Amino acid sequence: MAENTTTLYRNQVIYSVFVRNHTPEGTFDGVRRDLPRIRDLGADVLWLLPIHPIGEAARKGSLGCPYAIRDYRAVNPEYGTLDDFRRLVDEAHSLGMKCIIDVVYNHTSPDSVLAAEHPGWFYHKPDGSLGNRVGDWSDVVDLDYSHRELWQYQIDTLKYWASMVDGFRCDVASLVPLAFWREARAQVEAVRPGCLWLAETVDPAFIAHIRAMGYDCLSDCQAYDAFDLCYDYDIYHIFRDYLEGKTSLDHYAQAINRQEVIYPRNYSKLRFLENHDQLRAAFLLPDERALLNWTAFSFFLKGTALIYAGQETGCVHLPSLFHRDGVDWSGPDRTALFQRMCALKKHPLLTDSVYQVHALPGDVLCAVHTKGDRRLVGVFSAQGTAALVRVGEFAPDGSYENLLDGSRVEVAGGCLSCRGEPVVLEVRP
């Protein structure tokens, strides 16, 4: 694990924004005007998907994918000017939020500044042309980190942006050498002490696929050596398998518990139900109560919570990355729910605890944060249905406050009567 990583990241909430689709105008200024609402939701960190100019060669869709970057050192003029971007970041800071930007260092667009000026820094196909190692990413060409000159160019770019922003979400970080990330972190620290490093690590099947092709691909355990946070893709596929009836809830609970013993003691995962690459939570969970429970559970997991813009209004449609496809803000307003979740995330027991998840009869997850003689006990109905839940092992008989809504919850005879809505209670000595 990065030596200076703090477990306080487990109390943080990141709000993810794609500038193009966030507001009707699709600009930095549009996002800036929405910052007070985002802050009031409870977000600590604003994450902007790539802000740079997009390549035109091999472009996908009418406007191109933001991950096919043409120039790492400029901003997309469709979003505004560099001054507009600075105003956005300054406003986030004035509201007490941090701002991180996407770093896409595995590849560029085929017509990028680097491809034009330093074609030797790229992966070449057998015929000598620039190419990429993952076939369906047809709008990008891969960089080759065997060239040390590339390292310093990329690190200098990070230092430039670190003079403005508070950290980086690093796209497919697993495909970029760990030694590069270590060196980048060390050099950036001199510019932005405490810089936040979030790695998009990848799922086990993708790691196996890339390694079978003869290329290196970092595991999460390796990535934690340089990054503060890693994605939850090591278990996300099990969550999806459960929703589709392919595996049991116990299998998912065991996968979460395994994270407690295979990662460093101060590990933090980015916990999400959805993101810009995955289907919306409201689409995956059409039952309102089930969605409520899984949303609460995602915030109760050990790690940093993610809200993808539109999740707070139950957006069902996943906006396209390739053309203008604005977020649908007309859905049910769940602001109050997310505010409660974000407030609970600040609980000190979530900062540094022993964490266990138990799958109980009735498709119920019982999650427990323990530190010393104090506990937070969460009960979540995965199907949104009522059930009698045995919690005596974790909470003695008595009357408790449900920290999610302030209601009273009774534990009697070692059981809690779950009415299909999430419950979080605190056990004190």
PDB file of all heavy atoms in Angstrom, residues 86-106:
ATOM      1  N   ARG A  86     -10.215  26.355 -14.408  1.00  0.00           N
ATOM      2  CA  ARG A  86      -9.659  26.830 -13.137  1.00  0.00           C
ATOM      3  C   ARG A  86     -10.754  27.384 -12.232  1.00  0.00           C
ATOM      4  O   ARG A  86     -10.736  27.152 -11.013  1.00  0.00           O
ATOM      5  CB  ARG A  86      -8.599  27.904 -13.401  1.00  0.00           C
ATOM      6  CG  ARG A  86      -7.284  27.375 -13.980  1.00  0.00           C
ATOM      7  CD  ARG A  86      -6.308  28.543 -14.183  1.00  0.00           C
ATOM      8  NE  ARG A  86      -5.042  28.135 -14.746  1.00  0.00           N
ATOM      9  CZ  ARG A  86      -3.991  27.730 -14.019  1.00  0.00           C
ATOM     10  NH1 ARG A  86      -4.097  27.669 -12.705  1.00  0.00           N
ATOM     11  NH2 ARG A  86      -2.854  27.397 -14.613  1.00  0.00           N
ATOM     12  N   ARG A  87     -11.711  28.102 -12.816  1.00  0.00           N
ATOM     13  CA  ARG A  87     -12.804  28.644 -12.008  1.00  0.00           C
ATOM     14  C   ARG A  87     -13.635  27.517 -11.389  1.00  0.00           C
ATOM     15  O   ARG A  87     -14.078  27.618 -10.239  1.00  0.00           O
ATOM     16  CB  ARG A  87     -13.699  29.558 -12.854  1.00  0.00           C
ATOM     17  CG  ARG A  87     -13.150  30.978 -12.994  1.00  0.00           C
ATOM     18  CD  ARG A  87     -14.193  31.909 -13.599  1.00  0.00           C
ATOM     19  NE  ARG A  87     -14.440  31.609 -14.998  1.00  0.00           N
ATOM     20  CZ  ARG A  87     -13.748  32.138 -16.007  1.00  0.00           C
ATOM     21  NH1 ARG A  87     -12.775  33.001 -15.753  1.00  0.00           N
ATOM     22  NH2 ARG A  87     -14.034  31.819 -17.253  1.00  0.00           N
ATOM     23  N   LEU A  88     -13.851  26.464 -12.164  1.00  0.00           N
ATOM     24  CA  LEU A  88     -14.584  25.306 -11.654  1.00  0.00           C
ATOM     25  C   LEU A  88     -13.850  24.698 -10.458  1.00  0.00           C
ATOM     26  O   LEU A  88     -14.455  24.428  -9.410  1.00  0.00           O
ATOM     27  CB  LEU A  88     -14.751  24.267 -12.766  1.00  0.00           C
ATOM     28  CG  LEU A  88     -15.240  22.872 -12.358  1.00  0.00           C
ATOM     29  CD1 LEU A  88     -16.586  22.930 -11.661  1.00  0.00           C
ATOM     30  CD2 LEU A  88     -15.302  21.955 -13.591  1.00  0.00           C
ATOM     31  N   VAL A  89     -12.557  24.476 -10.604  1.00  0.00           N
ATOM     32  CA  VAL A  89     -11.773  23.873  -9.524  1.00  0.00           C
ATOM     33  C   VAL A  89     -11.732  24.800  -8.310  1.00  0.00           C
ATOM     34  O   VAL A  89     -11.893  24.357  -7.167  1.00  0.00           O
ATOM     35  CB  VAL A  89     -10.350  23.539 -10.007  1.00  0.00           C
ATOM     36  CG1 VAL A  89      -9.501  23.001  -8.854  1.00  0.00           C
ATOM     37  CG2 VAL A  89     -10.392  22.529 -11.148  1.00  0.00           C
ATOM     38  N   ASP A  90     -11.525  26.093  -8.551  1.00  0.00           N
ATOM     39  CA  ASP A  90     -11.486  27.057  -7.443  1.00  0.00           C
ATOM     40  C   ASP A  90     -12.809  27.085  -6.685  1.00  0.00           C
ATOM     41  O   ASP A  90     -12.831  27.188  -5.455  1.00  0.00           O
ATOM     42  CB  ASP A  90     -11.157  28.459  -7.967  1.00  0.00           C
ATOM     43  CG  ASP A  90      -9.710  28.597  -8.434  1.00  0.00           C
ATOM     44  OD1 ASP A  90      -8.897  27.712  -8.094  1.00  0.00           O
ATOM     45  OD2 ASP A  90      -9.408  29.575  -9.144  1.00  0.00           O
ATOM     46  N   GLU A  91     -13.920  26.997  -7.430  1.00  0.00           N
ATOM     47  CA  GLU A  91     -15.231  27.000  -6.785  1.00  0.00           C
ATOM     48  C   GLU A  91     -15.420  25.738  -5.941  1.00  0.00           C
ATOM     49  O   GLU A  91     -15.965  25.799  -4.827  1.00  0.00           O
ATOM     50  CB  GLU A  91     -16.338  27.100  -7.835  1.00  0.00           C
ATOM     51  CG  GLU A  91     -17.751  27.119  -7.274  1.00  0.00           C
ATOM     52  CD  GLU A  91     -18.093  28.412  -6.552  1.00  0.00           C
ATOM     53  OE1 GLU A  91     -17.308  29.378  -6.661  1.00  0.00           O
ATOM     54  OE2 GLU A  91     -19.144  28.450  -5.888  1.00  0.00           O
ATOM     55  N   ALA A  92     -14.973  24.597  -6.459  1.00  0.00           N
ATOM     56  CA  ALA A  92     -15.043  23.361  -5.672  1.00  0.00           C
ATOM     57  C   ALA A  92     -14.259  23.512  -4.377  1.00  0.00           C
ATOM     58  O   ALA A  92     -14.726  23.133  -3.297  1.00  0.00           O
ATOM     59  CB  ALA A  92     -14.518  22.181  -6.495  1.00  0.00           C
ATOM     60  N   HIS A  93     -13.063  24.087  -4.476  1.00  0.00           N
ATOM     61  CA  HIS A  93     -12.243  24.295  -3.284  1.00  0.00           C
ATOM     62  C   HIS A  93     -12.927  25.240  -2.298  1.00  0.00           C
ATOM     63  O   HIS A  93     -12.900  25.018  -1.081  1.00  0.00           O
ATOM     64  CB  HIS A  93     -10.879  24.846  -3.682  1.00  0.00           C
ATOM     65  CG  HIS A  93     -10.008  23.845  -4.368  1.00  0.00           C
ATOM     66  ND1 HIS A  93      -8.901  24.190  -5.124  1.00  0.00           N
ATOM     67  CD2 HIS A  93     -10.079  22.486  -4.422  1.00  0.00           C
ATOM     68  CE1 HIS A  93      -8.326  23.106  -5.594  1.00  0.00           C
ATOM     69  NE2 HIS A  93      -9.022  22.051  -5.185  1.00  0.00           N
ATOM     70  N   SER A  94     -13.549  26.284  -2.806  1.00  0.00           N
ATOM     71  CA  SER A  94     -14.195  27.256  -1.922  1.00  0.00           C
ATOM     72  C   SER A  94     -15.371  26.626  -1.174  1.00  0.00           C
ATOM     73  O   SER A  94     -15.748  27.094  -0.093  1.00  0.00           O
ATOM     74  CB  SER A  94     -14.671  28.477  -2.724  1.00  0.00           C
ATOM     75  OG  SER A  94     -15.795  28.166  -3.526  1.00  0.00           O
ATOM     76  N   LEU A  95     -15.947  25.561  -1.746  1.00  0.00           N
ATOM     77  CA  LEU A  95     -17.061  24.863  -1.119  1.00  0.00           C
ATOM     78  C   LEU A  95     -16.592  23.718  -0.230  1.00  0.00           C
ATOM     79  O   LEU A  95     -17.411  22.954   0.294  1.00  0.00           O
ATOM     80  CB  LEU A  95     -18.015  24.323  -2.190  1.00  0.00           C
ATOM     81  CG  LEU A  95     -18.787  25.375  -2.988  1.00  0.00           C
ATOM     82  CD1 LEU A  95     -19.514  24.736  -4.164  1.00  0.00           C
ATOM     83  CD2 LEU A  95     -19.782  26.110  -2.093  1.00  0.00           C
ATOM     84  N   GLY A  96     -15.268  23.591  -0.077  1.00  0.00           N
ATOM     85  CA  GLY A  96     -14.725  22.553   0.789  1.00  0.00           C
ATOM     86  C   GLY A  96     -14.570  21.202   0.134  1.00  0.00           C
ATOM     87  O   GLY A  96     -14.370  20.187   0.818  1.00  0.00           O
ATOM     88  N   MET A  97     -14.652  21.158  -1.197  1.00  0.00           N
ATOM     89  CA  MET A  97     -14.504  19.904  -1.929  1.00  0.00           C
ATOM     90  C   MET A  97     -13.136  19.839  -2.593  1.00  0.00           C
ATOM     91  O   MET A  97     -12.509  20.861  -2.863  1.00  0.00           O
ATOM     92  CB  MET A  97     -15.585  19.783  -3.013  1.00  0.00           C
ATOM     93  CG  MET A  97     -16.999  19.799  -2.493  1.00  0.00           C
ATOM     94  SD  MET A  97     -18.198  19.899  -3.861  1.00  0.00           S
ATOM     95  CE  MET A  97     -17.890  18.351  -4.685  1.00  0.00           C
ATOM     96  N   LYS A  98     -12.692  18.626  -2.876  1.00  0.00           N
ATOM     97  CA  LYS A  98     -11.517  18.415  -3.701  1.00  0.00           C
ATOM     98  C   LYS A  98     -11.965  18.111  -5.129  1.00  0.00           C
ATOM     99  O   LYS A  98     -13.117  17.753  -5.367  1.00  0.00           O
ATOM    100  CB  LYS A  98     -10.661  17.274  -3.154  1.00  0.00           C
ATOM    101  CG  LYS A  98     -10.018  17.589  -1.810  1.00  0.00           C
ATOM    102  CD  LYS A  98      -9.110  16.465  -1.355  1.00  0.00           C
ATOM    103  CE  LYS A  98      -8.406  16.827  -0.060  1.00  0.00           C
ATOM    104  NZ  LYS A  98      -7.490  15.751   0.404  1.00  0.00           N
ATOM    105  N   CYS A  99     -11.033  18.237  -6.055  1.00  0.00           N
ATOM    106  CA  CYS A  99     -11.329  17.938  -7.457  1.00  0.00           C
ATOM    107  C   CYS A  99     -10.230  17.040  -8.009  1.00  0.00           C
ATOM    108  O   CYS A  99      -9.037  17.339  -7.840  1.00  0.00           O
ATOM    109  CB  CYS A  99     -11.420  19.228  -8.274  1.00  0.00           C
ATOM    110  SG  CYS A  99     -11.786  18.958 -10.035  1.00  0.00           S
ATOM    111  N   ILE A 100     -10.620  15.937  -8.648  1.00  0.00           N
ATOM    112  CA  ILE A 100      -9.666  15.067  -9.322  1.00  0.00           C
ATOM    113  C   ILE A 100     -10.072  14.940 -10.783  1.00  0.00           C
ATOM    114  O   ILE A 100     -11.245  15.092 -11.129  1.00  0.00           O
ATOM    115  CB  ILE A 100      -9.571  13.676  -8.666  1.00  0.00           C
ATOM    116  CG1 ILE A 100     -10.886  12.894  -8.798  1.00  0.00           C
ATOM    117  CG2 ILE A 100      -9.174  13.796  -7.206  1.00  0.00           C
ATOM    118  CD1 ILE A 100     -10.800  11.459  -8.276  1.00  0.00           C
ATOM    119  N   ILE A 101      -9.089  14.689 -11.637  1.00  0.00           N
ATOM    120  CA  ILE A 101      -9.354  14.534 -13.066  1.00  0.00           C
ATOM    121  C   ILE A 101      -8.896  13.162 -13.535  1.00  0.00           C
ATOM    122  O   ILE A 101      -8.050  12.526 -12.908  1.00  0.00           O
ATOM    123  CB  ILE A 101      -8.680  15.632 -13.919  1.00  0.00           C
ATOM    124  CG1 ILE A 101      -7.155  15.614 -13.739  1.00  0.00           C
ATOM    125  CG2 ILE A 101      -9.261  17.000 -13.589  1.00  0.00           C
ATOM    126  CD1 ILE A 101      -6.410  16.529 -14.695  1.00  0.00           C
ATOM    127  N   ASP A 102      -9.474  12.725 -14.640  1.00  0.00           N
ATOM    128  CA  ASP A 102      -9.123  11.446 -15.236  1.00  0.00           C
ATOM    129  C   ASP A 102      -7.761  11.530 -15.919  1.00  0.00           C
ATOM    130  O   ASP A 102      -7.473  12.497 -16.632  1.00  0.00           O
ATOM    131  CB  ASP A 102     -10.179  11.049 -16.271  1.00  0.00           C
ATOM    132  CG  ASP A 102     -10.782   9.689 -15.992  1.00  0.00           C
ATOM    133  OD1 ASP A 102     -10.004   8.729 -15.868  1.00  0.00           O
ATOM    134  OD2 ASP A 102     -12.020   9.587 -15.906  1.00  0.00           O
ATOM    135  N   VAL A 103      -6.953  10.498 -15.713  1.00  0.00           N
ATOM    136  CA  VAL A 103      -5.656  10.365 -16.379  1.00  0.00           C
ATOM    137  C   VAL A 103      -5.718   9.107 -17.235  1.00  0.00           C
ATOM    138  O   VAL A 103      -5.960   8.015 -16.717  1.00  0.00           O
ATOM    139  CB  VAL A 103      -4.519  10.250 -15.340  1.00  0.00           C
ATOM    140  CG1 VAL A 103      -3.214   9.875 -16.020  1.00  0.00           C
ATOM    141  CG2 VAL A 103      -4.364  11.553 -14.578  1.00  0.00           C
ATOM    142  N   VAL A 104      -5.498   9.247 -18.525  1.00  0.00           N
ATOM    143  CA  VAL A 104      -5.616   8.124 -19.458  1.00  0.00           C
ATOM    144  C   VAL A 104      -4.238   7.877 -20.058  1.00  0.00           C
ATOM    145  O   VAL A 104      -3.890   8.404 -21.113  1.00  0.00           O
ATOM    146  CB  VAL A 104      -6.652   8.419 -20.564  1.00  0.00           C
ATOM    147  CG1 VAL A 104      -6.899   7.179 -21.414  1.00  0.00           C
ATOM    148  CG2 VAL A 104      -7.958   8.903 -19.951  1.00  0.00           C
ATOM    149  N   TYR A 105      -3.435   7.076 -19.360  1.00  0.00           N
ATOM    150  CA  TYR A 105      -2.023   6.939 -19.724  1.00  0.00           C
ATOM    151  C   TYR A 105      -1.678   5.626 -20.409  1.00  0.00           C
ATOM    152  O   TYR A 105      -0.519   5.396 -20.745  1.00  0.00           O
ATOM    153  CB  TYR A 105      -1.165   7.118 -18.474  1.00  0.00           C
ATOM    154  CG  TYR A 105      -0.764   8.564 -18.227  1.00  0.00           C
ATOM    155  CD1 TYR A 105      -1.367   9.606 -18.912  1.00  0.00           C
ATOM    156  CD2 TYR A 105       0.232   8.882 -17.320  1.00  0.00           C
ATOM    157  CE1 TYR A 105      -1.000  10.919 -18.700  1.00  0.00           C
ATOM    158  CE2 TYR A 105       0.618  10.205 -17.096  1.00  0.00           C
ATOM    159  CZ  TYR A 105       0.002  11.210 -17.779  1.00  0.00           C
ATOM    160  OH  TYR A 105       0.379  12.515 -17.581  1.00  0.00           O
ATOM    161  N   ASN A 106      -2.654   4.775 -20.655  1.00  0.00           N
ATOM    162  CA  ASN A 106      -2.373   3.561 -21.413  1.00  0.00           C
ATOM    163  C   ASN A 106      -2.367   3.818 -22.912  1.00  0.00           C
ATOM    164  O   ASN A 106      -1.671   3.133 -23.655  1.00  0.00           O
ATOM    165  CB  ASN A 106      -3.415   2.489 -21.093  1.00  0.00           C
ATOM    166  CG  ASN A 106      -3.235   1.224 -21.918  1.00  0.00           C
ATOM    167  OD1 ASN A 106      -2.257   0.510 -21.752  1.00  0.00           O
ATOM    168  ND2 ASN A 106      -4.174   0.951 -22.822  1.00  0.00           N
TER     169      ASN A 106
END
